[in-house]
Amino acid sequence: MKVAIVGAGFTPAEADQLRRAMATFKFTGGVSHFFDKLVGGMVERGYVGKPA
């Protein structure tokens, strides 16, 4: 949760929703809607992806 809050700018409530989605992703597939916010927030804060 701390990575989502510090690294991507999630609120604590959003990070908790992500945590819950990750715990049940096998059954619900609910993690995908957090992807853009997580990656976009990390890029905005200067994190870069693995070079291709």
Side-chain angles (χ1 to χ4, degrees), residues 11-52:
T11 66
E14 290 171 326
D16 189 54
Q17 289 175 348
L18 173 60
R19 179 190 63 78
R20 290 171 186 260
M22 290 173 66
T24 62
F25 82 97
K26 286 184 181 178
F27 305 110
T28 63
V31 177
S32 60
H33 71 274
F34 291 101
F35 181 81
D36 290 337
K37 181 171 176 66
L38 184 66
V39 173
M42 292 182 83
V43 169
E44 287 175 6
R45 286 163 181 75
Y47 295 93
V48 294
K50 184 177 177 181

